[in-house]
């Protein structure tokens, strides 16, 4: 299956700071990257879809100015949580799109904002 | 509105029991249905189903899809404590590759 890495695996930050999460596809080129968020005891919620070389598409209710997505290459997509607040504390997971092989998730990043 | 409904939401069994998890869906432009196992980390892929009536099997786990009735089941036989997890069902939409998730079934297997 597809190999996907995320960095960092967990991060603790102060309220008001920005946090960047990287998602890398290690053995294939991902033209699309899906970013999800999962709060405790809830299912995964799609936040946005990024496409290499173009602007990301955000789901309804997700602030594009707060969650900045960059997909500058076919192997790297980043999600930056700007001016993080405690309510942004969550589990952030990426999933590359690559034609038929779309079933694998990255290992996730746990964010705790104090 | 696209939706995926899983039942039961939680289930407690004893080791050795057999369990059946259910997933029904109403999703536009169906491409495939996927099952995942999630412990305290990112979901782990179990099965992808695209055709009706063809059982997929991996050890004690098996799954089947009914595209006419719009549902799938995940069976786990001879359950073990290590099977304790949340099992997620998701439907992939053709074209967009988006996944629509159900709320999950929390399975607890007691020794």
């Amino acid at each position: 299956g597809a190999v996907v890495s995320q960095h960092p695996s967990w991060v603790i930050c102060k309220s008001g700071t920005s946090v960047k999460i990287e998602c890398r596809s290690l053995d294939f080129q991902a033209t699309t990257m899906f970013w999800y968020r999962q709060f405790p005891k809830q299912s995964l919620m799609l936040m946005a879809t990024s496409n290499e070389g173009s602007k990301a598409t955000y789901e309804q209710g997700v602030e594009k100015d707060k969650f900045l997505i960059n997909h500058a290459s076919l192997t790297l997509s980043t999600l930056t949580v700007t001016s993080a607040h405690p309510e942004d504390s969550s589990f952030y997971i990426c999933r590359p799109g690559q034609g038929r092989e779309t079933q694998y998730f990255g290992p996730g990043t746990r964010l705790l904002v104090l | 509105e696209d939706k995926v409904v899983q039942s039961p939401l939680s289930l407690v069994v004893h080791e050795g029991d057999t369990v059946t998890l259910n997933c029904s869906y109403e999703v536009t432009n169906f491409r495939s249905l996927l099952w995942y196992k999630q412990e305290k980390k990112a979901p782990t892929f179990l099965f992808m189903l695209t055709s009706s009536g063809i059982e997929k099997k991996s050890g004690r786990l098996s799954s089947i899809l009914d595209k006419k009735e719009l549902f799938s089941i995940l069976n786990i036989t001879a359950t073990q404590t290590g099977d304790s997890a949340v099992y997620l069902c998701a439907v992939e939409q053709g074209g967009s590759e988006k996944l629509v998730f159900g709320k999950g079934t929390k399975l607890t297997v007691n020794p």
Side-chain angles (χ1 to χ4, degrees):
Chain A
V3 179
V4 186
S5 71
Q6 272 186 250
H7 177 80
S9 56
W10 61 273
V11 58
I12 301 173
C13 69
K14 292 181 179 179
S15 186
T17 59
S18 294
V19 176
K20 180 186 280 189
I21 301 169
E22 295 184 347
C23 178
R24 292 181 185 274
S25 54
L26 302 180
D27 60 355
F28 63 95
Q29 295 180 328
T31 54
T32 302
M33 195 70 75
F34 301 97
W35 285 95
Y36 295 82
R37 178 169 54 180
Q38 186 177 34
F39 292 108
K41 299 188 178 183
Q42 294 187 23
S43 193
L44 280 75
M45 294 298 297
L46 180 64
M47 298 175 65
T49 304
S50 72
N51 295 288
E52 187 266 337
S54 63
K55 290 184 178 180
T57 303
Y58 290 81
E59 297 299 304
Q60 193 171 9
V62 178
E63 300 174 54
K64 63 179 181 180
D65 294 330
K66 180 170 182 61
F67 298 99
L68 301 179
I69 289 176
N70 184 281
H71 195 153
S73 79
L74 291 172
T75 58
L76 174 64
S77 177
T78 60
L79 167 67
T80 301
V81 183
T82 62
S83 187
H85 288 95
E87 58 266 30
D88 298 323
S89 299
S90 189
F91 190 38
Y92 292 87
I93 319 172
C94 63
R95 177 177 71 92
Q98 53 160 355
R100 300 297 298 176
E101 299 279 333
T102 61
Q103 62 266 46
Y104 300 102
F105 285 87
T109 297
R110 293 197 185 278
L111 171 63
L112 176 61
V113 185
L114 301 176
Chain B
E1 183 186 342
D2 295 325
K3 60 181 180 180
V4 175
V5 179
Q6 292 186 244
S7 65
L9 292 180
S10 67
L11 189 56
V12 180
V13 300
H14 291 291
E15 267 192 316
D17 289 350
T18 292
V19 298
T20 297
L21 309 183
N22 304 294
C23 176
S24 64
Y25 62 91
E26 291 179 30
V27 176
T28 53
N29 199 11
F30 173 94
R31 177 189 246 182
S32 64
L33 185 143
L34 300 96
W35 284 97
Y36 292 89
K37 177 183 181 182
Q38 186 175 28
E39 298 167 273
K40 294 186 189 300
K41 53 185 179 178
T44 302
F45 170 72
L46 295 175
F47 297 111
M48 175 187 279
L49 304 159
T50 55
S51 301
S52 275
I54 299 174
E55 184 184 55
K56 291 220 172 176
K57 200 170 171 65
S58 176
R60 296 176 294 102
L61 279 65
S62 63
S63 184
I64 197 162
L65 173 67
D66 185 328
K67 290 170 73 173
K68 182 180 177 184
E69 300 297 329
L70 307 183
F71 80 90
S72 172
I73 59 172
L74 174 69
N75 278 319
I76 308 175
T77 59
T79 52
Q80 302 172 357
T81 55
D83 295 327
S84 296
V86 174
Y87 290 83
L88 295 167
C89 173
V91 172
E92 183 188 10
Q93 293 181 293
S96 70
E97 297 180 324
K98 286 186 178 181
L99 294 181
V100 181
F101 278 89
K103 294 184 184 298
T105 293
K106 182 178 180 181
L107 173 65
T108 302
V109 181
N110 290 322

